[in-house]
Amino acid sequence: MSGAMARRRFLALGGGLALAGGLSACSSPLASGLTGSQPNTADVIFWNLFTGGDGANMTLMENAFRRTHPGTTVEATILGWGNPYYTKLALATASGTPPDVGISHLSRLPLLAASGLLEPVAETGVTELGVTPDRFTPAAWKKATVNGTAYAVPLDTHPFVLFYNVALAKKAGLLNAAGDGLKPMKGRAAFTGAVKAMKEAGAQYGAAMSITADPSTAWRWFSMIYSGLAGPVVTGSGTTIDIDADAMQETFDFMQSLTGPGLMPSSLNGSGANALFSTGKAGFLFDGEWQIPSYRLVKGLDFNVVPFPALLGPEPVAYADSHALVVPRNPKRSPARTAHAAQFIKSLLDNSATWAHGGHVPAWLPSQRSKAFLGQSPQRNYVQAAFNAQYDPVAWYTGAGSDFQNTVGATVIEVLAGRLGPKKAVAAMRADLKRYTTARPPVTMK
């Protein structure tokens, strides 16, 4: 299928099931993209989806570029996170009015690349500026590569990590000799023992995580554990269910061994998890590193963050995603605009230690190894998680904010709540996956 045909199919089918909601919403930004109203009002048009702390950090990075490139103007536009953003990016590109640089989660990259919407990195001019594969976290660069071609420049890795209350960990005897980390642990028994020790040290719960109405977090927790035992749940670019039933049943059994006896809540929303960990009523918190800025605001809370140890498999696995910089395809983009875009991308990479203040691990190794990043704690403590990263399986329907995560995560929530046993949960997960693997893909993916 040609790139043009792929783009038409992508749009005809609403950018996939995951994007259907964004199309029906028909927001004003979407209408702007449909009518081709994106003007060249600056030398670099940059689209992103960052608000809050991430938005503030990105603004600092944009301003750093403006200071070092005073003759080049940048217009940054912030769009709604999730499906609406990807819908608008796809429509604007297909209509010939894309931004010069955009943000994409790497978990969303396979569909964008297969739809012919992105310029290969080799054709964006960044290679001539020293942006080469050997200067990135290998797992992130691998995920940025689709069928042998890199289509994105990774900005970070944002993994699912293990928060812990330092005082409780010390009382539980879990701290190492230096007191700056946990003693080595490996395997189901050791990890469960650590959670028990936290509870016996005085916490109401040994661990907590957001469960209720939070299918994405439930999916991350499940996917990380399961990935230690088996490969992706779907293969063939999302067309084939590839479940290891024994591994999945063992994963669900392990999850219930923590919620069933009350070592962690079986039903808890995000606010509840935050309250338990912030007040020292939970020893561990299972969450993404992007929560670090929020917990820093809690007066008197002494916490640290480390990668999860190996749980069921032989090696540690970290569920993760990455923000990445993409250059949407635009045959009319001038060489000058292409050069400006490349310079902007390189500048963001060079300033990604600023980005790390939001908790994210820079994918650009010069930043990851810089004093500006290594001086940040606890960020420097879980860099290894970026090297152990396990992303969503490759498919046209997976990725950050997708309906897929909502569907399979809902089944995981039922397991955590104890309403679904491990064996029945495997059958439920298979049914969830059948819904997606049997749907007609909007584009042909190799």
Side-chain angles (χ1 to χ4, degrees), residues 56-114:
N57 290 331
M58 181 53 71
T59 298
L60 291 174
M61 296 160 69
E62 292 161 4
N63 289 339
F65 174 80
R66 293 184 178 103
R67 285 194 298 273
T68 55
H69 298 76
T72 306
T73 56
V74 175
E75 180 182 287
T77 300
I78 301 170
L79 303 171
W81 191 92
N83 290 334
Y85 173 81
Y86 289 102
T87 301
K88 180 166 175 57
L89 184 64
L91 290 171
T93 304
S95 63
T97 56
D100 298 299
V101 180
I103 286 287
S104 173
H105 288 87
L106 286 184
S107 61
R108 290 280 195 155
L109 192 70
L111 178 59
L112 295 174

Side-chain angles (χ1 to χ4, degrees), residues 15-398:
L17 289 179
L19 302 184
L23 278 170
S24 61
C26 197
S27 63
S28 57
L30 179 59
S32 175
L34 281 168
T35 57
S37 60
Q38 178 66 46
N40 289 335
T41 50
D43 296 317
V44 179
I45 304 293
F46 174 47
W47 285 8
N48 68 80
L49 33 66
F50 302 124
T51 57
D54 279 349
N57 290 331
M58 181 53 71
T59 298
L60 291 174
M61 296 160 69
E62 292 161 4
N63 289 339
F65 174 80
R66 293 184 178 103
R67 285 194 298 273
T68 55
H69 298 76
T72 306
T73 56
V74 175
E75 180 182 287
T77 300
I78 301 170
L79 303 171
W81 191 92
N83 290 334
Y85 173 81
Y86 289 102
T87 301
K88 180 166 175 57
L89 184 64
L91 290 171
T93 304
S95 63
T97 56
D100 298 299
V101 180
I103 286 287
S104 173
H105 288 87
L106 286 184
S107 61
R108 290 280 195 155
L109 192 70
L111 178 59
L112 295 174
S115 302
L117 298 173
L118 303 178
E119 297 283 3
V121 169
E123 298 176 18
T124 63
V126 298
T127 305
E128 290 75 5
L129 300 179
V131 179
T132 51
D134 58 307
R135 306 183 80 185
F136 289 87
T137 306
W141 189 265
K142 180 180 179 182
K143 186 64 178 175
T145 303
V146 179
N147 296 325
T149 300
Y151 285 98
V153 177
L155 179 62
D156 68 38
T157 305
H158 43 278
F160 197 69
V161 287
L162 183 63
F163 290 68
Y164 67 88
N165 182 298
V166 173
L168 284 169
K170 182 178 182 180
K171 191 175 180 181
L174 297 176
L175 293 186
N176 60 21
D180 59 0
L182 297 175
K183 293 177 180 176
M185 68 174 94
K186 183 176 182 179
R188 174 174 181 160
F191 187 76
T192 302
V195 177
K196 286 181 179 177
M198 282 291 202
K199 185 169 184 177
E200 291 168 358
Q204 182 178 349
Y205 293 101
M209 62 175 276
S210 175
I211 298 172
T212 306
D214 193 352
S216 294
T217 297
W219 162 250
R220 294 177 187 121
W221 174 228
F222 161 82
S223 184
M224 183 180 68
I225 303 168
Y226 177 79
S227 297
L229 292 172
V233 295
V234 294
T235 54
S237 297
T239 61
T240 305
I241 299 173
D242 202 359
I243 285 177
D244 182 326
D246 290 340
M248 187 170 286
Q249 193 165 327
E250 184 178 351
T251 298
F252 288 139
D253 180 73
F254 171 64
M255 296 167 76
Q256 291 192 334
S257 75
L258 297 175
T259 54
L263 294 177
M264 59 185 291
S266 60
S267 180
L268 186 71
N269 61 22
S271 297
N274 293 344
L276 285 176
F277 189 68
S278 296
T279 57
K281 294 179 180 178
F284 289 115
L285 176 74
F286 309 159
D287 213 329
E289 40 75 351
W290 50 89
Q291 300 289 357
I292 287 174
S294 296
Y295 287 112
R296 278 196 172 128
L297 299 176
V298 180
K299 188 176 181 181
L301 176 64
D302 187 7
F303 71 97
N304 197 359
V305 183
V306 294
F308 275 93
L311 296 174
L312 299 188
E315 302 296 335
V317 175
Y319 177 88
D321 206 335
S322 292
H323 299 115
L325 300 154
V326 297
V327 176
R329 178 158 289 175
N330 182 0
K332 297 179 181 178
R333 185 178 291 117
S334 69
R337 294 193 72 84
T338 298
H340 290 147
Q343 292 166 355
F344 181 66
I345 290 172
K346 177 63 163 47
S347 177
L348 293 183
L349 295 176
D350 289 339
N351 288 283
S352 54
T354 297
W355 187 239
H357 287 293
H360 316 312
V361 179
W364 179 237
L365 293 179
S367 290
Q368 190 186 109
R369 295 166 179 168
S370 69
K371 290 183 179 178
F373 173 71
L374 294 176
Q376 296 182 40
S377 178
Q379 287 91 325
R380 63 172 179 257
N381 299 338
Y382 51 83
V383 169
Q384 185 59 41
F387 289 80
N388 301 334
Q390 183 70 44
Y391 295 81
D392 262 15
V394 174
W396 59 272
Y397 45 77
T398 56

